[in-house]
Amino acid sequence: RVRPSRMAVLVLGSGIAGLRTAVALLRAGRKVIIRSAHAPKSMQTPSPGAGGLWMPFHCEDERTNEWASTTLQEYLEMEYQGHGAVEVVPAIIFKGEMMAGEEAEISGAHHPPPSWASNRDLGFSTVSIEDLVKGNTSHSSRPERGPSSAATAAIVNNGAGLSGGSDHKSRSTTEKKVHVPAFAERYHSAWTFHVPIVDSPALLGEFHQELIDGGADVNTNTLFSSASEAIEFANGCTGEDEIDAIVNCTGSGTLTGDESVVLARGVLRYYRRPPGFDTCMLIEDPPFASERYPLYAIPRGGYVAVGGTYLEDDIEASPRDEEREMLDRNAELLLPSDGMHFEPVGEWVGFRPVRPAGVAFGLNESLTRQANRKLKWVDNYGHGGAGWTVAAGCARDVVDLLS
């Protein structure tokens, strides 16, 4: 085992990337200093308002599947241990518009599964709409999980007792019924699997508290306008707070002058979760959706997040009236209504930091040289819409890099 450095690590950012990285460093025995412009649960950052769905989304990087697999295992272990902030639900992705006179196609030739679907814990399969409606799908047989390893149990037990505040969590996944909306027959086929949903604000709050309890120096009212300012701050820390590494988890790449990051605007509304509604649904295909206007419902705790948009370089910070109307229509399409009208209880706009060249992860040699001493600069940003999906995997690799 490598002896952990006695020097501190400065983590920039307090979204899921920053907090999960800081927690991993703290658990590895490092002293942690966090600086961020916003509090972890501030709705001015993407992490707390996000639907909390585990699924790689606009995170094009050859390392994504490995990071995502590590994070998936963590969430599944948390759910297995009864952690209140993680719930595993059946998920459906509808594929291919069914044109008049066509027969359903379920071979997968036209809609090959994504690479992440090979993870056995997801129970992924391609099914016909007829079988989906009849309930003859893999949703009835979620892969079983055994007890976690001692190492994973130690991670999980740090979060024992957190409650997401919902009675939906108390039902096992095998008891959860799949809701198939009426419009399903307009599609060729569907991908079905089981997926963890994270109560984003709850888990951010827990990680924040763990850092405070563990003695981390957390200041979420500090804004560095450049990498030089952050390096100057780090070089000014002495004694027990002497810093030997900076980990940049600020998302957008502005600190490093990275102009390749594209901010993709997402908008959603929250609705009260109907009794017995446990199905996560996602569509990007016509006639009801597109890549720019995906249609989705993510049950999270006592609410359902309904979306949405994927609009690059759109910087409007509030939902537009026409977007609110669209989301209300989406809720009517997706949620079981029994004649009820869905009233929104909240809304959110976030900006996914999409980096077309891949996630900025690893040692930044240019900024490490600029620091002019034994101070490493490590980047961990540009995760697109997959921040919650890759967080634990990226955090693990940061710890390994600094060991």
Side-chain angles (χ1 to χ4, degrees), residues 91-389:
I92 307 171
I93 299 179
F94 293 97
K95 301 301 295 181
E97 181 178 6
M98 175 70 78
M99 306 303 290
E102 284 189 303
E103 294 185 2
E105 169 63 62
I106 64 168
S107 68
H110 297 301
H111 310 290
S115 58
W116 51 262
S118 62
N119 191 305
R120 293 183 178 181
D121 284 315
L122 297 171
F124 189 99
S125 65
T126 300
V127 302
S128 70
I129 297 302
E130 180 181 6
D131 281 344
L132 184 66
V133 172
K134 290 181 178 179
N136 301 325
T137 73
S138 62
H139 279 139
S140 61
S141 56
R142 176 192 170 195
E144 293 295 326
R145 294 190 61 79
S148 60
S149 68
T152 307
I155 294 174
V156 173
N157 290 336
N158 282 325
L162 177 69
S163 172
S166 169
D167 60 355
H168 299 275
K169 183 67 177 64
S170 62
R171 297 194 307 279
S172 70
T173 308
T174 55
E175 295 174 337
K176 294 178 178 178
K177 295 182 179 179
V178 177
H179 170 68
V180 181
F183 66 75
E185 62 185 15
R186 298 292 300 275
Y187 288 91
H188 271 288
S189 58
W191 294 340
T192 66
F193 52 105
H194 291 91
V195 67
I197 308 293
V198 179
D199 188 335
S200 312
L203 198 53
L204 286 170
E206 177 189 335
F207 286 152
H208 185 210
Q209 191 60 51
E210 180 178 346
L211 290 164
I212 297 297
D213 293 344
D217 176 356
V218 181
N219 185 318
T220 56
N221 192 30
T222 301
L223 176 64
F224 295 122
S225 60
S226 66
S228 297
E229 281 192 10
I231 291 172
E232 182 179 359
F233 170 83
N235 284 334
C237 294
T238 59
E240 293 183 356
D241 290 335
E242 186 175 357
I243 293 170
D244 69 351
I246 298 174
V247 184
N248 174 27
C249 303
T250 54
S252 66
T254 54
L255 274 182
T256 59
D258 187 346
E259 297 181 356
S260 70
V261 177
V262 177
L263 296 182
R265 179 174 175 270
V267 58
L268 55 81
R269 299 191 101 178
Y270 302 100
Y271 302 83
R272 295 200 182 279
R273 185 170 174 178
F277 179 73
D278 301 311
T279 308
C280 175
M281 288 176 284
L282 306 99
I283 309 101
E284 286 188 309
D285 292 359
F288 295 100
S290 66
E291 185 174 344
R292 283 172 53 84
Y293 293 96
L295 176 67
Y296 59 83
I298 303 173
R300 193 188 81 181
Y303 304 95
V304 182
V306 173
T309 65
Y310 179 85
L311 303 174
E312 294 185 354
D313 295 322
D314 182 341
I315 60 173
E316 175 58 48
S318 299
R320 301 179 176 96
D321 288 341
E322 59 268 28
E323 291 171 335
R324 293 186 175 100
E325 294 173 1
M326 174 192 73
L327 295 173
D328 287 344
R329 290 194 301 271
N330 290 354
E332 298 286 347
L333 277 171
L334 292 166
L335 305 183
S337 63
D338 293 329
M340 66 183 290
H341 177 68
F342 295 103
E343 291 291 340
V345 294
E347 57 189 26
W348 172 82
V349 171
F351 299 91
R352 310 172 181 95
V354 179
R355 196 169 185 270
V359 176
F361 184 92
L363 184 67
N364 187 317
E365 294 184 0
S366 175
L367 289 175
T368 296
R369 287 194 301 270
Q370 181 181 328
N372 200 29
R373 69 178 184 90
K374 293 181 179 180
L375 175 67
K376 294 180 179 178
W377 181 290
V378 175
D379 285 324
N380 181 19
Y381 69 87
H383 306 103
W388 283 98
T389 302

Side-chain angles (χ1 to χ4, degrees), residues 13 34 57 59 70 83 89-91 107 161 184 201 204 215 229:
I34 299 177
F57 183 72
C59 186
T70 296
H83 194 295
V89 302
S107 68
L204 286 170
E229 281 192 10

